[in-house]
Structure formats: structure tokens, C-alpha cells
Amino acid sequence: MTVADAAHGFAEWFGRRPAGVWSAPGRVNLIGEHTDYNDGFVFPFAIDRRTSVALGDRDDRVVRVATSHEPEAVEIHLDALAPDAVSGWAAYPLGVAWALRESGADLDLARGVDLYIASDVPIGAGLSSSAAIECAVALALDEHWGLGFDRPALAKVGRLAENRVVGAPTGIMDQTASLLGAVDSAVFLDCRSLDADVIPLGFDAEGLSLVVVDTRVTHAHASGGYAARRASCEAGARGLGVESLRDVRVDDLARAAEVLDDETFRRVRHVVTENQRVLDTVRTLRERGAGAIGALLDASHVSMRDDFEISVPELDLAVSTAQSSGAIGARMTGGGFGGSAIALVPDALVPDVTRAVAAAFADHGYREPVVFTVRASEGARRDA
Ligand code: GLA
């Protein structure tokens, strides 16, 4: 749907047909939270909500971007691209153009482009609408300009744009899921080696649905909280004399408790146990199927709530209500401080869980959540 929207929007805005349309999905993370920037393990999948970008040439070396949800187009000359030269929503697409050049693309002979972006990835729901834009634009520019980046390299380009142009100190998970995702599969990524394994989930075969509860809570301190957690992890690694928390095992935690202050220790314990839960989830999935991973999802949520302290009451309520109304496992997903929870639910119980969550939010006087199911879907691609 967004493919047609992007092509149509392009034609309306720029008065000609686009040369091509590319798209990339948002993601949910099944498990492995705040582990990516600690060189750890993550297990996200691409969802059936996508961002499309329609592209057409121009001959003046200007990049111009427009989108359905902003009244103004933004443009910049290719030679003027710099981290602080763009801001607001345009930082995502134009940041990618800068990051491609920064990562070695020779843009001296590149012509300019017009880009039009349309998306049905909800914004601010913790489903990586930003990575979807970055990856759609990165793949579009790479293929259109013939730059020859492979997908792992494009994921790094997206992260560079996010870190340096948007200014968020995030890891590599979201872009990797958006670029490497596959139907009914999740991406098991080792964030140290960047080795990725695309693993079948088997949700359809087992009659399981993945329900997303978008709490519609966005906290002003989310980015500050994220950066603070990252800093705590780095302090923990320094305190333990390791390069990153990837080098700490569950068996090392007793010693860590003696060396670190209580708060830093609990941050470390989340990351270390979460890495183990990712490994356990992948093994359990392979050996016993998706129906057996519920307890690991539940334990992940407890760890984020109590040790990493990135949950909020609305997320906790979504998780506990889903669990008590039929989910086999549930947890918050993404960076935290708001956004979405996920629940793995037998197909027949999806209406019960949906109703129960809505009722519980109403009882608590919370804003009405948006509850929907997602399917693990194909990563970034050219559509037209
Ligand atoms: C955000 C970041 C990711 C990752 C998650 C937490 O989504 O963009 O890199 O750190 O938070 O797991």
C-alpha cells in the first residue's frame, strides 16, 4: 500500500513519475534488549508495516525530500551534506546520504535526486519507524547510484546517520532487522562479529500470533534515559575490566556484585542475563518450537522492569494483562520509557487479549492503547 502512496505522492509533489520505489519495514524485537551496544545478542524481526521511498533523478546535485506527513519539502546540495546541516524529520533521509559518503561512497559524479516518503510504521511506538526510513533510503540510493554496499554495510550507514545526524546513541539492531528480515523468521545477530542467522519462527505453523500493544506513552526523558543506561553499561564494563559487557557471563555476576555499586550492578545483571536469554530463546525455538519460549519473554520483562528500570506502568500493565488473559509470554520491546509491549498469543485468544488490555487501560484511566498483530516479514527491497 505504501508503495502506491509513495509513487502517487511523488507524482503529485514533483510532477513526474518516479524512476523506482523501494521500501523497508519497522521491527519488533522478540528478545535481547539494550544488548546491541554491549556487543551482545539480539533477536528481532521485520514487521508488515513499511516505509516506502519513491525516487527520481535531478541534474543539479541537489537532494530534495518530501513526505506525506510534513507540509514542506527539504533540500540540500550534495556538497553541503554535513551532520549539523539538517534537522527535524529530514535528518533521517538526508543523514543517510551524508552517512553513505562518510562510509566511502564516491558521490562526486552522483546526480541529485527527489525523494518522496510514505509510511505505515507508527511513529513513536518503539517499532523503529526511523530505521525503516533510513534503510529504505539507504537501499534506494545504493542501488540507484550503483554504490555496491552490502546489507550489513547499509545497516552501519543507517546507524551512523542515527548516531551522528539524528543524534541518538543507538546500536545496530533496528537497521539489521529492517535490512535482513525474512517472512516468518527472526534475525539472530551477534552484535560483536555482526554474524547474522535468519531463523524460522514457525508462528503460523504453531497457530501463534504476535500482538503489539502500543501504549502511546512517549516520555520526554526517553533519549536521556537511553543514553544514561548506555553510560551505566560502559561504567560497568570499566569497573569489571572488560572491553564490553559481552565479556561477562552469568557465572561472573557474583564477583560483579562485590565490585560494582548496586545500581550499576543491576544494569549489568540485566545485560548479562538478557544475552543468555537470547541464546536460550534461539536454542529453545530450534529444539521445542515457539510455543516453548514464553517464560524467557516473561523473564526478560522482569529484568527490564526491576534491574534495567526502563519500563513504565502502562507497559507493565500491558504485559501482566496479556499474560493473565492467554498470552504464553509477554514483554516490553525496544528502548523503553514508553512505546510498545509484545505478547505471543495463541491465534484463538487474540480477541480475548485485545479486549482485556483495552479494559485494563480504561480501568486505570490510561490513554486507550492501540493493539494489533504483526507478522514477521521481508526486509528492505525494491518494489517498483
Ligand atoms: C532502540 C535502539 C536499538 C536498541 C534498542 C534496545 O531501539 O535503536 O539500537 O538499543 O533500543 O534494545
Side-chain angles (χ1 to χ4, degrees), residues 5 35 59 71 88 106 113 122 125 131 141 201 218 254 257 270 280 313 315 379:
D5 290 347
T35 46
D59 53 15
D106 182 357
V113 286
L141 293 178
L201 289 167
T218 40
H270 164 70
D280 292 347
L315 286 166

Side-chain angles (χ1 to χ4, degrees), residues 163-375:
N163 291 168
R164 295 280 302 284
V165 185
V166 178
T170 54
I172 194 80
M173 169 170 75
D174 307 339
Q175 293 81 6
T176 303
S178 185
L179 285 157
L180 299 187
V183 172
D184 198 26
S185 301
V187 182
F188 172 43
L189 178 70
D190 177 337
C191 299
R192 173 168 270 172
S193 66
L194 296 185
D195 285 343
D197 220 348
V198 177
I199 297 182
L201 289 167
F203 287 175
D204 288 352
E206 290 200 49
L208 293 170
S209 292
L210 202 292
V211 173
V212 173
V213 179
D214 173 8
T215 64
R216 297 163 85 202
V217 175
T218 40
H219 274 262
H221 63 266
S223 57
Y226 185 97
R229 294 303 178 278
R230 189 168 178 154
S232 288
C233 292
E234 284 159 9
R238 267 196 311 278
L240 296 170
V242 292
E243 190 194 319
S244 74
L245 295 183
R246 165 65 176 274
D247 301 314
V248 183
R249 280 163 218 294
V250 174
D251 286 350
D252 301 325
L253 285 172
R255 186 182 75 87
E258 287 164 16
V259 179
L260 303 173
D261 66 82
D262 176 61
E263 184 182 289
T264 308
F265 170 67
R266 287 184 295 111
R267 305 296 188 247
V268 167
R269 182 166 62 186
H270 164 70
V271 172
V272 172
T273 57
E274 185 80 347
N275 273 331
Q276 187 60 47
R277 281 187 290 272
V278 177
L279 298 175
D280 292 347
T281 300
V282 170
R283 200 193 56 238
T284 304
L285 189 67
R286 282 180 162 143
E287 292 174 358
R288 296 165 54 207
I293 66 170
L296 290 157
L297 305 184
D298 295 344
S300 172
H301 186 75
V302 170
S303 179
M304 288 188 283
R305 185 190 64 199
D306 298 346
D307 273 353
F308 218 58
E309 295 181 283
I310 53 171
S311 190
V312 294
E314 290 85 346
L315 286 166
D316 294 338
L317 183 67
V319 166
S320 62
T321 308
Q323 287 162 340
S324 61
S325 58
I328 63 172
R331 59 188 288 278
M332 55 146 280
T333 190
F337 307 100
S340 295
I342 55 170
L344 191 57
V345 180
D347 293 338
L349 297 178
V350 170
D352 292 355
V353 170
T354 305
R355 259 194 309 273
V357 169
F361 272 58
D363 282 350
H364 282 73
Y366 294 160
R367 190 172 176 200
E368 187 182 0
V370 184
V371 187
F372 52 97
T373 58
V374 292
R375 299 173 70 83

